[in-house]
């Protein structure tokens, strides 16, 4: 009986610890023709680009599930034609430029399986990075139908759009 009580207490403690760890909040940036749903991680004193997120790697552009972007109608993303629909948004990180990638494979967990689905890329746009004078604590993605902006830590990138 004592062993059972000890075992149950131990399992309850472990379960409580697991559920106490919160995932990043999930937020949506939305304009008339664009909707972006992403997990919003925080900087928490870390070096993000070139530290937590290594240069030369593909990043899910958020936390948890890969970020998804929906276009309400056909348009251009960084000058490249894109059909209306929902895509996974990945970023290949560089010190001076990023390649922003739209991929048709939805419901990805992170970028762990990106190599297996990269043949489903529908657009790749290379944009310069901008160094921010004030760090952005939480990953922030904004859109106004003309520009998609991704900002976090001391880095920002923007992709022009047309609808």
């Amino acid at each position: 009986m004592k062993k059972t009580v000890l075992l149950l207490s131990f399992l309850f403690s472990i379960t409580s610890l697991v559920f106490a760890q919160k995932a990043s909040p999930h937020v949506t940036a939305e304009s008339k023709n664009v909707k972006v749903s992403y997990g919003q991680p925080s900087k928490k004193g870390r070096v993000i680009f070139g530290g937590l997120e290594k240069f030369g790697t593909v990043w899910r552009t958020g936390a948890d599930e890969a970020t998804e972007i929906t276009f309400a109608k056909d348009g251009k993303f960084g000058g490249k034609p894109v059909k209306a629909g929902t895509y996974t948004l990945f970023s290949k990180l560089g010190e001076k430029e990023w390649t922003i990638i739209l991929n048709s494979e939805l419901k990805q967990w992170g970028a762990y399986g990106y190599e297996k689905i990269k043949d489903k890329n529908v657009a790749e746009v290379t944009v310069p990075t901008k160094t921010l004078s004030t760090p952005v604590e939480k990953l922030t993605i904004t859109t106004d139908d003309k520009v998609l902006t991704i900002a976090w830590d001391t880095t920002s990138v923007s992709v022009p759009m047309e609808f």
Side-chain angles (χ1 to χ4, degrees), residues 44-60:
K44 298 180 184 176
R46 303 175 288 185
V47 173
I48 302 302
F49 302 112
L52 179 66
E53 301 298 339
K54 308 292 183 225
F55 291 128
T57 62
V58 174
W59 174 50
R60 63 184 139 200

Side-chain angles (χ1 to χ4, degrees), residues 76-141:
K76 289 189 177 181
F77 185 78
K80 307 234 173 140
V82 177
K83 298 277 186 197
T86 301
Y87 303 92
T88 302
L89 182 71
F90 294 104
S91 300
K92 184 170 183 183
L93 306 173
E95 290 182 63
K96 297 185 189 254
E97 62 185 22
W98 289 8
T99 300
I100 308 300
I101 303 163
L102 300 180
N103 185 283
S104 63
E105 185 74 24
L106 302 178
K107 306 298 179 199
Q108 293 297 304
W109 182 262
Y112 306 108
Y114 174 76
E115 287 300 315
K116 295 176 187 169
I117 62 163
K118 67 182 180 181
D119 61 323
K120 295 183 180 183
N121 289 354
V122 297
E124 295 183 31
V125 178
T126 300
V127 293
T129 60
K130 177 182 174 188
T131 301
L132 304 171
S133 57
T134 304
V136 175
E137 176 62 27
K138 293 182 178 210
L139 171 68
T140 303
I141 300 176

